[in-house]
């Protein structure tokens, strides 16, 4: 797994690189201290994982995540930040971040959360997970009339479990383009835009169970 660490503070960047090496042996993470450096690396190489800080010297890491999500949808983007407020959290998720970790956590907890990616568990700090749940508890629940087809439900369930588009296609015996079409319909019907929201909606509909 090739990993990219985007963090402007050198000590923190080295710490995150070491963390990624422990979580994913053989990952050989590369570091970038600015958006310019990160964009240059992404233009040259394909990364399976990107840990991205939000506040960078030449812009916002959220913008970078949005760019990477559009250009390289198979890159698993995770915010690694000190910001734990809604003003940063939800724009990051909407931009395509599939995880949100607070750097202030103990190293051991961060390590467990990163390792969970392999099992399809979105890496979310506990406080962030609570914020997301509270947000959707405040939001109106979609009307019961919003129904998904059997195939759309299958795609949603597998996506919520952490499978990538190609893996969903292989599991269901359909093409990746067909999977993309089903996902587009699911996101439109449920008025969602991120994998984190899809996981919550799948759980709400009983398509996946916690701990599996």
């Amino acid at each position: 797994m090739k990993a990219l660490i985007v963090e402007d503070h050198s000590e923190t960047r080295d710490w995150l690189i070491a963390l990624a090496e422990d979580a994913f042996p053989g990952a050989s993470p590369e570091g970038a201290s600015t958006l310019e450096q990160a964009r240059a690396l992404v233009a040259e190489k394909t990364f399976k994982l990107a840990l991205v800080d939000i506040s960078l010297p030449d812009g916002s890491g959220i913008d970078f995540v949005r760019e990477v999500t559009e250009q390289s949808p198979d890159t698993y983007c995770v915010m690694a930040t000190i910001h734990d407020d809604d003003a940063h959290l939800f724009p990051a998720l909407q931009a395509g971040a599939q995880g949100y970790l607070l750097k202030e956590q103990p190293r051991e907890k961060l390590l467990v959360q990163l390792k969970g990616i392999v099992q399809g568990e979105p890496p979310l700090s506990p406080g962030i997970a609570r914020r997301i749940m509270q947000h959707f508890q405040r939001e109106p629940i979609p009307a019961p009339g919003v129904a998904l087809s059997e195939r759309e439900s299958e795609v949603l369930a597998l996506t919520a479990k952490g499978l990538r588009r190609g893996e969903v296609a292989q599991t269901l015996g359909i093409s990746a383009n067909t999977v993309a079409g089903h996902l587009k319909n699911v996101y439109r019907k449920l008025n969602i835009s991120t994998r984190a929201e899809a996981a919550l909606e799948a759980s709400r509909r009983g398509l996946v169970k916690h701990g599996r």
Side-chain angles (χ1 to χ4, degrees), residues 32 34-45 47 64:
T34 65
L35 289 180
E36 182 180 6
Q37 291 178 5
R39 286 166 176 150
L41 285 171
V42 168
E44 296 175 358
K45 306 174 183 180
F47 294 93
F64 177 71

Side-chain angles (χ1 to χ4, degrees), residues 19-96:
L19 186 68
E21 288 174 337
D22 286 349
F24 311 106
S28 300
E30 297 190 41
S33 61
T34 65
L35 289 180
E36 182 180 6
Q37 291 178 5
R39 286 166 176 150
L41 285 171
V42 168
E44 296 175 358
K45 306 174 183 180
T46 299
F47 294 93
K48 296 298 291 183
L49 172 69
L51 292 180
V52 185
D53 189 16
I54 289 180
S55 300
L56 296 164
D58 53 347
S60 171
I62 294 175
D63 293 333
F64 177 71
V65 166
R66 184 178 292 106
E67 294 170 12
V68 173
T69 300
E70 293 175 354
Q71 298 169 10
S72 180
D74 286 336
T75 300
Y76 198 103
C77 294
V78 178
M79 309 311 300
T81 179
I82 61 172
H83 299 292
D84 65 350
D85 56 284
D86 291 0
H88 289 92
L89 168 61
F90 292 104
L93 296 179
Q94 290 168 350

Side-chain angles (χ1 to χ4, degrees), residues 142 146-149 152 184-192:
V146 179
L148 301 179
S149 69
E152 288 169 348
K184 183 177 180 181
N185 289 336
V186 168
Y187 280 29
R188 175 181 54 79
K189 286 182 177 181
L190 302 181
N191 192 29
I192 59 178

